[in-house]
Structures are given as structure tokens and as C-alpha cells.
Amino acid sequence: MEDTTRAYIAGFLDGDGSIVLQLKPRRDYRFGFQIRATVSFYQKRRGRWVLEWLYAHIGRGRIRERPDGIVQYDIEGVESVIWPLEQVQPYIVAKKEQVEQALGLLREVCANESPTPEEFWEWARRVESYQALNYSKKCRYRAEDVRRFLSSKGWLPPP
């Protein structure tokens, strides 16, 4: 990807984008929760073409039209989010801390396929602290929910 394209995408992410890390309960996951990563870009319906341009350059994710007239381009998944964040990292200004923290955590998650319960709980704590960097609604699941689950299985001492 050309530097000017990477810089443009970084500016778009800084202004009309978001980077979200969440804890989602999952019965089929070993520790009862998934760390979900999403990079999103937003435009009014008439600006859909620019989201299609982004998709053509990033090559992953999906574009959808919301009922409120906004078009949203989402890239979801730990591994899927790392590459575009790495591409734009040198050019990010407003969301520099979010990109650095997200990449640090997501790279760690990818590198460790079999974390201990203690490591997973620490990741959950980092996800929760990351959420404070965004202007988002209250998070539904917190690190303490993960700790309670891990404790109920006997993997961590009770809180």
C-alpha cells in the first residue's frame, strides 16, 4: 500500500472511524469470553463510495447500510484488525494511543494461543482500560465478569 493511501486511511480513521475492543461472553470459548476487536469507518449514505474505496485498499471486512442513513464499514476479528492498524500507525494523530494499545494487546493475544487463566484475566483488564480511551457508551461486560467466570471454574482464587 502506498504511503499516501496509508496516510489518507489514517486521517479517515482519526476523524470518522473507531477502534473498539470488547469482552463478549461465549459459551464455546475456553475462558467463557471472547476479546472482540473492530475497526469501523462511518459516512452518510451519499459517501458510501469512499468506504468502498477503503475496502478496495484494505481488502477485508464488510460494508453495511444502517437504518439511520449511515453507512458503516467494519473490520472485525483480532487478526483482521492488526494489519490495517499496522499500515496506518505511522500516520495516526488523534487516535495514536488507541492504535498503540490495541496493537500491543492484539499482537500478544495472537502470539499466545494457550494463555493461562491469569493471562486471559490480565487481557480482560487491559480491554476494560482501553475502553476508557473511547467516547463510547457504557461497556456491558467488564474484566470483573471474566474474573468471576474464571473463579467459578476454580482457575482463579475468588475475588
Side-chain angles (χ1 to χ4, degrees):
M1 186 182 303
E2 292 183 21
D3 287 346
T4 54
T5 302
R6 293 167 54 205
Y8 179 82
I9 295 170
F12 204 103
L13 180 60
D14 267 341
D16 286 333
S18 65
I19 308 159
V20 177
L21 300 180
Q22 299 170 294
L23 297 168
K24 291 289 187 180
R26 293 286 304 260
R27 290 183 180 177
D28 56 331
Y29 275 51
R30 179 176 164 212
F31 296 129
F33 284 83
Q34 169 190 20
I35 295 174
R36 180 183 285 174
T38 308
V39 171
S40 299
F41 301 90
Y42 311 90
Q43 281 292 289
K44 289 186 177 177
R45 194 167 284 132
R46 69 178 180 267
R48 181 187 179 105
W49 68 270
V50 76
L51 297 181
E52 291 171 355
W53 182 91
L54 290 173
Y55 176 81
H57 286 84
I58 296 172
R60 57 196 74 193
R62 68 185 178 96
I63 298 172
R64 67 182 177 97
E65 289 194 21
R66 301 184 341 199
D68 61 359
I70 298 296
V71 180
Q72 185 170 333
Y73 169 33
D74 293 323
I75 304 163
E76 295 180 335
V78 171
E79 292 178 2
S80 294
V81 163
I82 289 174
W83 183 81
L85 290 182
E86 287 174 339
Q87 296 302 302
V88 301
Q89 186 177 19
Y91 304 99
I92 287 287
V93 176
K95 293 184 172 97
K96 187 176 185 69
E97 189 173 357
Q98 285 98 324
V99 170
E100 289 172 0
Q101 284 192 29
L103 279 174
L105 176 60
L106 298 176
R107 286 173 178 152
E108 210 173 296
V109 168
C110 281
N112 186 349
E113 292 181 14
S114 298
T116 65
E118 293 84 2
E119 289 169 325
F120 191 82
W121 183 60
E122 178 57 33
W123 292 347
R125 291 174 59 199
R126 288 168 61 189
V127 167
E128 186 173 321
S129 70
Y130 178 87
Q131 291 168 338
L133 297 173
N134 291 330
Y135 309 113
S136 61
K137 58 187 174 191
K138 184 178 175 185
C139 62
R140 187 165 180 188
Y141 298 99
R142 307 186 80 74
E144 195 52 41
D145 297 315
V146 173
R147 180 168 181 74
R148 270 195 296 279
F149 177 83
L150 296 173
S151 295
S152 76
K153 298 293 186 185
W155 295 330
L156 287 181

